Amino acid sequence: VRSRKGELDEMLETLFHEASHQFTTLASGGGFVPAWLNEGTACFFEGTRAMADHRVLWPDAARGRLSTLVAALRTGGKPTARDVVSYASPASYPVDYYAYGWGLVYFLQEYEDERTLEHVYRPVYARYSTECVKRGADPMALFEELALGKASPLGHADFDAFERDWSKWITGVVAPLFGDGAAARKKRLERVT
């Protein structure tokens, strides 16, 4: 694997990541934003692409975060998604949490209901973003309230059920779409069709 150090794409990923923090601070009015939401959203925007015609495309998977997350999920070690969402400090968290934060935000932004093709978790992300600032709440308790049980678009009764389906989606749906080679390209084209 060749190094990307000093390449324009790497610089743009960093710029989109850091700009996201600025917008998050502005949107929250300086209020409490859990690290997983702040860093996860910033990592989500690492997948943004700036085009030669000056357009900026909605983020794709941030491939570096995806490969790190898939490797971690396949080994079943620490941290877990529960560890990441439970992290209560607004300050940044340990480096091995970043891929998880990205994956959680990517799911909330990009998961499509198989029947309707609607992004059913985007309203959950929006409510969570608003409520954490208003309440300064425990991030896991707020997630349980706004994304699980009756509020869950997929009927997840608890965080363990959510984490199982999230992990399967990341490793079984997202990773094959964003790998290298002809098979991944074919899957992306099939999905577009």
Side-chain angles (χ1 to χ4, degrees):
V1 177
R2 68 184 181 90
S3 172
R4 295 182 56 224
K5 293 287 182 206
E7 290 185 7
L8 180 61
D9 285 344
E10 181 193 33
M11 181 187 74
L12 290 173
E13 284 177 8
T14 301
L15 288 173
F16 286 125
H17 178 111
E18 297 305 331
S20 171
H21 288 310
Q22 301 307 310
F23 287 112
T24 298
T25 299
L26 289 170
S28 70
F32 176 74
V33 178
W36 81 266
L37 186 64
N38 192 356
E39 292 298 348
T41 300
C43 291
F44 174 76
F45 282 106
E46 291 173 14
T48 303
R49 296 292 171 253
M51 306 300 289
D53 65 2
H54 306 289
R55 291 178 302 131
V56 176
L57 302 181
W58 180 256
D60 245 345
R63 291 182 183 207
R65 302 295 182 188
L66 174 61
S67 63
T68 300
L69 179 58
V70 168
L73 290 173
R74 289 188 174 147
T75 61
K78 291 280 186 178
T80 65
R82 178 182 295 280
D83 296 332
V84 173
V85 173
S86 296
Y87 190 86
S89 173
S92 193
Y93 45 35
V95 70
D96 54 343
Y97 283 42
Y98 278 76
Y100 281 81
W102 167 81
L104 290 160
V105 170
Y106 192 77
F107 180 85
L108 296 175
Q109 290 294 325
E110 294 300 306
Y111 177 84
E112 293 178 350
D113 181 283
E114 293 175 5
R115 295 173 316 249
T116 66
L117 300 181
E118 289 181 50
H119 293 98
V120 294
Y121 278 94
R122 285 184 181 171
V124 172
Y125 174 89
R127 280 192 312 271
Y128 190 97
S129 298
T130 301
E131 291 300 316
C132 68
V133 172
K134 280 185 194 174
R135 300 187 206 178
D138 169 356
M140 178 54 83
L142 187 62
F143 192 92
E144 289 170 337
E145 176 188 335
L146 299 177
L148 303 176
K150 290 180 182 176
S152 172
L154 297 180
H156 294 118
D158 57 28
F159 194 83
D160 291 338
F162 170 85
E163 189 171 8
R164 262 191 313 278
D165 286 350
W166 166 77
S167 179
K168 278 199 270 189
W169 184 77
I170 291 289
T171 58
V173 175
V174 179
L177 283 173
F178 291 99
D180 293 325
R185 180 173 166 71
K186 182 179 178 194
K187 282 187 179 295
R188 288 193 299 273
L189 288 172
E190 287 170 357
R191 183 167 181 166
V192 168
T193 302

